[in-house]
Amino acid sequence: SSGSATIKAVPDLVVVYFNIQTTGTNSSDASDKNSKIYDEMKDSLIDLGFNENDIQTESLSVYPDYDWQSGTQRIKGYIATHSVKIEILFDNKDKIGETIDAGINAGAGISYINYELTEENQNKYKVEALAKATEDARTKAEAIAWGAGQSIARKPVSISTSDFSYVPWMAFAQSDVAKSSGAEIETKITPSEQEISASVTAVFRIK
């Protein structure tokens, strides 16, 4: 029997995703310029009360920038990109505007801002959703067995998770951020309940 459940959850994190992109005549030049922006942003964030562990690198790369206009592949320079995320608990919501401004003032761009769940809440909601999906599977199995004049054993023979869906919810896209200051965005951060779903397949023995 398959069961499914959807529960409501309120996110407890705001996560700001920064992107630092620089160009240079060679890879070292592009990387050095990128590091300078990152270091300035990091220093500003530490001054705001963050520690280095709060400033998390998502990806870091340096690659050639090709010129194809001449019809041949010619390297005209190098591009360095550094994707960084900063997690802010809603208890520290008053830091959002300053965090955004710290990145922008250093020369970083903002890719997007998400509402997310801490790992603790992800686990909590996952357990709740899967438990309700399992209840749903049992209810359906009992109904089928009852219709056939049978009953099912109390304990299932096996349970397998078909799906658990948690996807962060976007608060601001890059285009929205570009039109607003950090303080303006901070006042608009108003998370609402979102849905988390789960589904399971349970096998019950007919008694």
Side-chain angles (χ1 to χ4, degrees):
S1 175
S2 295
S4 61
T6 299
I7 63 172
K8 298 286 187 178
V10 177
D12 56 343
L13 279 179
V14 171
V15 185
V16 184
Y17 289 85
F18 291 100
N19 183 53
I20 304 170
Q21 181 167 307
T22 51
T23 58
T25 54
N26 54 53
S27 59
S28 295
D29 183 29
S31 294
D32 289 346
K33 289 177 181 175
N34 203 285
S35 295
K36 184 178 179 181
I37 293 173
Y38 173 76
D39 289 342
E40 183 179 338
M41 181 177 77
K42 183 177 72 173
D43 289 345
S44 295
L45 290 169
I46 288 173
D47 287 343
L48 291 174
F50 292 97
N51 60 55
E52 291 201 26
N53 292 334
D54 296 324
I55 307 165
Q56 303 175 42
T57 292
E58 292 277 276
S59 65
L60 179 63
S61 64
V62 182
Y63 53 91
D65 183 18
Y66 291 106
D67 179 8
W68 296 94
Q69 291 185 357
S70 61
T72 59
Q73 181 177 320
R74 183 179 68 84
I75 296 176
K76 62 179 181 179
Y78 285 80
I79 299 172
T81 63
H82 190 173
S83 298
V84 180
K85 75 173 183 179
I86 310 294
E87 296 181 348
I88 305 168
L89 289 168
F90 282 125
D91 291 345
N92 300 324
K93 182 177 180 289
D94 58 345
K95 282 188 177 181
I96 295 171
E98 293 176 312
T99 299
I100 292 167
D101 290 339
I104 291 174
N105 291 340
I110 295 181
S111 300
Y112 50 91
I113 301 172
N114 273 356
Y115 294 126
E116 299 189 17
L117 296 170
T118 56
E119 187 175 348
E120 180 183 358
N121 268 347
Q122 284 185 53
N123 292 334
K124 178 183 116 178
Y125 289 127
K126 181 176 183 177
V127 168
E128 183 180 343
L130 290 173
K132 289 189 174 183
T134 302
E135 283 180 30
D136 184 50
R138 172 179 288 281
T139 299
K140 289 175 181 176
E142 287 174 342
I144 293 169
W146 179 82
Q150 303 287 327
S151 62
I152 63 171
R154 182 173 176 274
K155 292 184 178 180
V157 175
S158 65
I159 301 175
S160 59
T161 304
S162 304
D163 182 49
F164 172 73
S165 176
Y166 158 65
V167 178
W169 313 291
M170 185 173 287
F172 289 91
Q174 185 179 29
S175 57
D176 298 322
V177 173
K179 300 172 187 174
S180 307
S181 68
E184 288 172 332
I185 290 171
E186 183 178 301
T187 62
K188 295 175 183 176
I189 295 291
T190 52
S192 59
E193 285 187 328
Q194 300 289 339
E195 293 184 346
I196 295 177
S197 60
S199 57
V200 301
T201 300
V203 177
F204 294 90
R205 180 177 287 109
I206 299 292
K207 293 194 294 184

